[in-house]
Amino acid sequence: MNLTLLIQALIGGFLVGGVYSLIAIGLSLIFGVMKIINFAHGEIMMIAMYITYWLFVLLKIDPIISIIIVAPLIFLLGYCMQRFLVNRIIDAPELIQILLMLGVAIVLTNLALFIWGPDHRMAATRFSLSAIMLGGITIDVSRLIAFGIAIIVSIGVFLFLAKTETGKMIRAAADNRLGAQIVGIKVNRVYAISFGVGSACVGIAGALILPLIPLDPYLGPSYTLTSFIIVILGGMGSLLGAFIGGIIIGVAESLGAVLLVSSLKELVSFSILIVILLFRPQGLFGTRNE
Amino acid sequence: MNRNSIIFLAAVLLFLLLLPLFSSSALIGIFILIFFYAYLGQCWNILSGYVGAVSVGHALFVGIGAYISTKLALVWGLSPWIGMFLGGFCASIIALFIGYLGFRFRVKGVYFFLLTIAFAEVGRLIFLHLDVFGGPVGIFIPFKPSFINFQFKGNNPYYYIAMGMMIFSIIVVRIIEKSNIGLLSVAIREDEDAAQSLGVNSFKCKMILFFISGFMTALGGTFYANYFYYIQPDIVFGLGLSVDIILRPIVGGMGTVFGPVIGSFLMTPLAEFTRNYFAKGGYEGLHMIIYGIILIIVVLFFPRGLAPSFQRMYRSFKKNISKS
Amino acid sequence: MNILSVKNLHKSFGGLYAVIELSFDISEGEILGLIGPNGAGKTTLFNCITGFLVPEKGEIEFESEDLVGLSTFQICKKGVARTFQIERPFLDLSVLDNVVVAALNRIGSRKKATDFALEMIDFLGLEGQKNYMASELTVVKRKRLEMARTLATQPRILLLDEVMAGLNPNEVDEAVKILKEIHKKGITIMLIEHVMRAVMAVSDRIIVLNYGAKIAEGLPSDISNNQKVIEAYLGEDSLNAQG
Ligand SMILES: Nc1ncnc2c1ncn2[C@@H]1O[C@H](COP(=O)(O)OP(=O)(O)OP(=O)(O)O)[C@@H](O)[C@H]1O
Ligand SMILES: [Mg+2]
């Protein structure tokens, strides 16, 4: 085995893992607060990617800059989705919630198909071809930037939850919905904000990942699944778990692609998922509640 | 069952039997899909509807059934009519394996969804990389029509086979529902701990139902292969198919004998008509948008599926009749 | 002849001891009352006996067979049945079907199981509601349904967890009558109860738990005069206040 290749894969996976973390933090936040499994998570990212792509092609705005536009838009999308759809089934059985989110996913996917067509698109940004050489190892600049911003945004989310008034309300509502209602927190609004923030996370991740992967309307489910795997690995509802889980899965997939066949990298993560579900369903950082 | 509903069912059956005599091949094609999805939904219902272990990876069994019977037919010339049972057997072994892990380790709810998805995805990835099964290219099945080969000219034979499968699945579910295991399953679905404290061996119940469900789903896979003449891992093992399988019974009402059938009669034509209508107009994706919106509406307004609502309507209708 | 004997049982929840070094026996045909303040560990004891919880230490012998490590349904099959403090009916099944599920524990034929279930339903006075959905029952009737179900499993010993909570005095008297009839059928009974009047009336013997430990054991008349029991129930302060 070529050591350089291995280190290369390790670093590449680590960097992409940062973006995965951000995606998973979004999912975990939504789950942690309202116990909704967002089966449309990947589709929200896909929509964010198309918006970013549009801004890039039509207005020549670099994906990194367009975060400023994409994040609020996707926040709004998530906010409205919660307000008008999710909120109505917040107490329904899990299966019904999932079916609703699947309905949303179908609509979003086909909306994208309808508007943008089925072709693959790739955004060749200014950094697409630039790389840093360290010894024999090349590091993609786009990945490095994506990683950096993903980390900054993740920290931002942590700070938002820890320090701001809204963040505290979100945590209170997540902890104990009834209690939060009793002390006068408008739980519905808090839920909608959480859904918005969770969506904005995955939206930003979408903008960051756009230069790295080809875009088409069908990429949603695969990212939804990846983020589930990460969240289960880290522990449902644990944001720190989602963060570390993202890095682990990023590295694992990347190593899997080098050591096995590149198309088999998903096998690694699904195997991890199965093992975790059987032997440590609370994940690495979750607490088991019966 | 009372006399009226028997007469009603007999009339429906007669109508369906005679339908091919006076309708277009395209319509027959839609009915084949209705039957096919009703059948798969019913197979899923056996496990997920009755005992409440919701699988979102049932495509795994379709894929196994499709690939095994097809491969046996291509390599050894084994008739799919026999191969389908071998496929079913393999699928049920896999079902037992997944069930053993899932139920022994008490994987429940969302975690069970994800476990089943994970196994289906692992199946898909493995078949994508098995060159003997055609890898990502899949298998094109040469067209050699004959009864032995499970291949026919024209749609009518498929129509009757699919209808037969659907009726078979309804009968199986009905028998299960009336049997002890059916009653015990519902008890497990409602409250597994309480059921166990009354002496119900929930592990055994679930395993039996998973076995039957996996076996029957795989038979559907053989039908799929020989109806479409093409199988490919992303399609027959895909999450998309798994979702298609569960959609109809949930819309119709899971854990009921006719839920999956009602769901399929509503959702399948909807999908097909809108597809045909909009695809002709060049509006790709639009039909699925409408499909998704209708799904959302159904979920919001009939969270327990349509069959229970129908039942309630029927009951209050009867009450009103008898009052007046 | 002891039908059930518990030896040195320990169960804790992450540092909190719910049952500590508990030992006791029940002899065949006895009615044993189990009382104690809230959180004393009574339900936890039932959960250990019926396999819902695995104790850290100790033995639970039923008719000289060890129950520890068996799964819940196996324990029921051996003849130990329990009710739940908070009723847990199968909401989507009719009252009759709820009981039939339990009757199938010992009876293979559906027809015979149904007949037996109907008998139990009559016995508990639920015949008027047998075709109701369990979700349509009032709490009082739900408690009856709990009893009917456990009886339908044809147990040798019945563990009843606060089946009289929330009943009015008349209903309590009725329940006491039912208990005595069950006892006449030769079923050993262990009951957790806060309704003192009832426990005193039916129990042959009473055990008192406090903070997971047994603090007293004896005839009902002894228990009601036991200083420790009074302390446990009233709290030490009130005793001190009395001087
Ligand atoms: N599953 C559990 N996890 C953690 N702690 C538990 C659990 N079950 C019970 N406990 C704790 O163990 C102690 C004993 O509880 P238990 O339910 O056995 O009391 P009890 O005597 O039945 O009280 P009550 O009269 O209120 O029903 C309590 O402090 C309770 O909080
Ligand atoms: Mg208790």
Side-chain angles (χ1 to χ4, degrees):
Chain A
M1 186 79 239
N2 186 336
L3 192 66
T4 343
L5 209 61
L6 210 60
I7 296 175
Q8 174 98 44
L10 208 74
I11 295 176
F14 188 83
L15 296 181
V16 171
V19 182
Y20 281 1
S21 298
L22 186 56
I23 301 174
I25 285 175
L27 188 76
S28 196
L29 179 68
I30 291 171
F31 178 83
V33 174
M34 58 205 107
K35 306 289 171 284
I36 293 277
I37 325 276
N38 185 7
F39 261 78
H41 205 61
E43 278 74 13
I44 294 177
M45 177 171 113
M46 179 269 299
I47 293 290
M49 288 173 76
Y50 270 107
I51 297 175
T52 315
Y53 183 79
W54 243 9
L55 292 171
F56 176 67
V57 172
L58 298 180
L59 303 175
K60 303 278 175 291
I61 301 175
D62 192 276
I64 297 161
I65 312 294
S66 63
I67 287 175
I68 305 165
I69 306 166
V70 172
L73 276 180
I74 299 295
F75 173 88
L76 205 67
L77 175 71
Y79 189 94
C80 294
M81 252 165 68
Q82 206 288 336
R83 248 315 140 66
F84 299 116
L85 296 175
V86 178
N87 209 25
R88 291 155 154 264
I89 45 126
I90 206 108
D91 295 316
E94 278 160 353
L95 197 61
I96 295 302
Q97 299 174 338
I98 286 177
L99 208 58
L100 180 88
M101 297 322 294
L102 281 174
V104 172
I106 291 174
V107 171
L108 291 180
T109 303
N110 291 284
L111 205 62
L113 186 64
F114 182 60
I115 302 175
W116 292 292
D119 315 331
H120 287 282
R121 288 156 203 268
M122 191 86 206
T125 67
R126 184 146 58 94
F127 303 109
S128 284
L129 295 174
S130 46
I132 300 169
M133 302 287 278
L134 277 178
I137 297 158
T138 40
I139 300 171
D140 237 322
V141 173
S142 313
R143 280 191 202 210
L144 202 61
I145 296 173
F147 178 81
I149 296 179
I151 300 295
I152 293 170
V153 174
S154 305
I155 293 173
V157 173
F158 284 117
L159 289 179
F160 164 72
L161 289 175
K163 301 285 178 210
T164 65
E165 207 52 38
T166 317
K168 283 175 191 161
M169 282 199 271
I170 289 178
R171 282 189 300 146
D175 248 13
N176 184 343
R177 175 170 156 198
L178 199 66
Q181 261 161 346
I182 288 169
V183 298
I185 295 175
K186 290 203 186 78
V187 171
N188 281 345
R189 220 175 77 86
V190 169
Y191 278 5
I193 291 175
S194 313
F195 212 104
V197 173
S199 303
C201 284
V202 70
I204 294 171
L208 294 174
I209 215 172
L210 181 69
L212 306 178
I213 57 168
L215 167 61
D216 69 66
Y218 298 109
L219 63 71
S222 141
Y223 282 88
T224 305
L225 286 180
T226 305
S227 49
F228 282 150
I229 295 172
I230 296 168
V231 167
I232 296 278
L233 174 66
M236 279 266 195
S238 157
L239 293 192
L240 184 67
F243 184 78
I244 295 170
I247 306 258
I248 294 176
I249 292 294
V251 171
E253 279 195 349
S254 167
L255 288 183
V258 177
L259 298 175
L260 302 164
V261 197
S262 84
S263 47
L264 268 179
K265 64 176 189 183
E266 287 169 286
L267 196 61
V268 177
S269 19
F270 282 113
S271 310
I272 293 179
L273 175 63
I274 292 172
V275 170
I276 287 279
L277 283 173
L278 296 178
F279 298 106
R280 204 178 156 80
Q282 73 273 40
L284 298 176
F285 295 90
T287 44
R288 188 165 195 174
N289 47 352
E290 297 280 310
Chain B
M1 233 193 284
N2 61 24
R3 250 186 62 204
N4 285 345
S5 41
I6 290 177
I7 292 172
F8 175 71
L9 285 181
V12 171
L13 188 65
L14 193 68
F15 172 77
L16 290 178
L17 278 173
L18 298 179
L19 187 74
L21 300 180
F22 50 81
S23 63
S24 70
S25 174
L27 188 66
I28 292 302
I30 290 179
F31 268 90
I32 292 173
L33 289 181
I34 293 178
F35 297 151
F36 176 65
Y37 281 116
Y39 172 78
L40 289 183
Q42 205 64 283
C43 298
W44 175 84
N45 193 27
I46 291 172
L47 175 75
S48 303
Y50 281 91
V51 85
V54 175
S55 156
V56 195
H58 251 50
L60 176 61
F61 307 117
V62 178
I64 297 285
Y67 267 96
I68 287 183
S69 66
T70 302
K71 199 62 194 173
L72 288 174
L74 291 182
V75 176
W76 285 314
L78 186 70
S79 164
W81 291 105
I82 302 170
M84 70 197 289
F85 290 98
L86 294 175
F89 190 67
C90 293
S92 50
I93 298 294
I94 292 171
L96 287 185
F97 175 70
I98 299 174
Y100 181 84
L101 292 177
F103 304 143
R104 263 283 169 267
F105 288 89
R106 297 175 164 274
V107 181
K108 287 194 182 148
V110 187
Y111 297 92
F112 192 74
F113 303 168
L114 291 174
L115 187 72
T116 49
I117 291 179
F119 274 109
E121 286 292 293
V122 167
R124 180 178 71 86
L125 290 166
I126 289 175
F127 273 79
L128 273 176
H129 290 85
L130 286 178
D131 289 334
V132 280
F133 286 104
V137 180
I139 302 179
F140 289 92
I141 298 157
F143 184 55
K144 285 184 242 151
S146 85
F147 179 79
I148 295 288
N149 291 347
F150 206 123
Q151 292 181 355
F152 308 93
K153 291 202 185 94
N155 265 345
N156 286 1
Y158 291 108
Y159 176 89
Y160 287 112
I161 293 172
M163 187 167 123
M165 290 173 82
M166 177 183 76
I167 292 172
F168 165 68
S169 69
I170 295 174
I171 293 172
V172 170
V173 170
R174 174 80 182 173
I175 290 173
I176 290 177
E177 188 179 270
K178 289 289 159 197
S179 70
N180 290 348
I181 193 172
L183 179 64
L184 299 182
S185 313
V186 177
I188 295 167
R189 182 186 76 202
E190 294 294 302
D191 188 335
E192 184 163 357
D193 283 343
Q196 296 231 42
S197 83
L198 298 172
V200 179
N201 185 345
S202 67
F203 179 75
K204 191 170 121 196
C205 261
K206 290 184 193 168
M207 289 295 268
I208 292 172
L209 293 182
F210 209 168
F211 183 92
I212 298 172
S213 176
F215 187 91
M216 286 177 58
T217 309
L219 305 187
T222 302
F223 180 86
Y224 183 99
N226 291 291
Y227 179 57
F228 290 105
Y229 304 114
Y230 175 58
I231 52 179
Q232 198 273 340
D234 292 329
I235 302 173
V236 290
F237 285 95
L239 185 59
L241 180 58
S242 290
V243 169
D244 266 338
I245 293 174
I246 71 173
L247 215 66
R248 289 158 178 85
I250 298 177
V251 166
M254 52 195 291
T256 63
V257 175
F258 286 101
V261 179
I262 294 173
S264 188
F265 267 87
L266 288 173
M267 299 301 282
T268 312
L270 190 79
E272 292 306 308
F273 281 128
T274 47
R275 190 207 313 278
N276 291 337
Y277 186 75
F278 290 114
K280 274 186 204 128
Y283 299 117
E284 217 172 341
L286 195 54
H287 77 280
M288 287 302 285
I289 298 179
I290 293 175
Y291 186 72
I293 291 176
I294 290 177
L295 177 63
I296 293 172
I297 291 174
V298 170
V299 171
L300 287 181
F301 293 100
F302 302 94
R304 299 194 57 186
L306 294 168
S309 310
F310 282 158
Q311 267 170 12
R312 228 172 297 130
M313 261 157 52
Y314 178 69
R315 256 191 244 133
S316 64
F317 176 71
K318 256 199 338 202
K319 262 184 205 159
N320 289 339
I321 293 276
S322 53
K323 261 182 214 154
S324 59
Chain C
M1 169 67 193
N2 287 337
I3 186 167
L4 182 79
S5 62
V6 170
K7 286 193 202 109
N8 209 1
L9 195 73
H10 262 284
K11 176 71 204 172
S12 65
F13 298 107
L16 171 94
Y17 276 92
V19 173
I20 308 165
E21 273 194 55
L22 183 64
S23 303
F24 65 89
D25 300 310
I26 311 179
S27 48
E28 180 123 37
E30 198 181 7
I31 300 186
L32 178 67
L34 180 63
I35 63 173
N38 290 116
K42 305 180 295 291
T43 302
T44 304
L45 171 64
F46 275 17
N47 285 338
C48 289
I49 296 175
T50 51
F52 279 96
L53 295 172
V54 182
E56 279 106 49
K57 231 170 65 183
E59 285 161 41
I60 301 169
E61 272 187 7
F62 174 71
E63 303 195 308
S64 326
E65 276 181 276
D66 197 4
L67 294 187
V68 177
L70 293 187
S71 55
T72 301
F73 82 91
Q74 289 170 319
I75 292 171
C76 175
K77 289 239 184 284
K78 291 212 182 294
V80 182
R82 59 92 56 95
T83 65
F84 292 96
Q85 183 170 354
I86 298 165
E87 317 81 61
R88 295 173 77 164
F90 308 121
L91 295 173
D92 221 20
L93 287 178
S94 69
V95 169
L96 176 59
D97 281 342
N98 263 273
V99 186
V100 173
V101 168
L104 287 170
N105 182 41
R106 295 235 188 277
I107 306 170
S109 133
R110 182 69 164 269
K111 172 93 189 35
K112 285 187 185 140
T114 308
D115 289 343
F116 187 67
L118 283 170
E119 231 175 87
M120 292 304 111
I121 285 177
D122 280 349
F123 179 66
L124 282 148
L126 285 169
E127 60 275 7
Q129 288 81 27
K130 67 172 189 249
N131 291 325
Y132 282 31
M133 281 300 176
S135 51
E136 296 169 327
L137 291 185
T138 59
V139 176
V140 176
K141 297 278 180 190
R142 283 189 189 195
K143 297 246 180 222
R144 292 282 181 92
L145 177 57
E146 282 279 315
M147 302 256 287
R149 282 198 320 193
T150 40
L151 279 177
T153 65
Q154 308 195 24
R156 307 262 293 114
I157 181 168
L158 202 52
L159 310 179
L160 301 174
D161 198 344
E162 303 200 17
V163 286
M164 302 187 198
L167 304 192
N168 69 31
N170 284 338
E171 288 162 344
V172 168
D173 289 342
E174 232 172 283
V176 167
K177 220 173 74 196
I178 291 172
L179 280 191
K180 285 188 170 155
E181 274 176 59
I182 294 173
H183 182 233
K184 261 192 230 146
K185 292 176 194 246
I187 298 173
T188 309
I189 297 176
M190 180 165 178
L191 81 156
I192 296 176
E193 204 50 72
H194 282 300
V195 182
M196 284 306 149
R197 189 163 63 86
V199 200
M200 296 294 164
V202 295
S203 305
D204 298 319
R205 195 159 54 98
I206 290 177
I207 289 177
V208 188
L209 286 190
N210 194 20
Y211 295 114
K214 182 165 79 178
I215 55 168
E217 178 172 3
L219 299 175
S221 50
D222 300 338
I223 293 296
S224 51
N225 297 324
N226 187 306
Q227 201 58 32
K228 272 196 199 154
V229 177
I230 296 169
E231 272 174 39
Y233 267 92
L234 301 179
E236 290 182 25
D237 296 344
S238 56
L239 272 183
N240 294 341
Q242 283 168 12

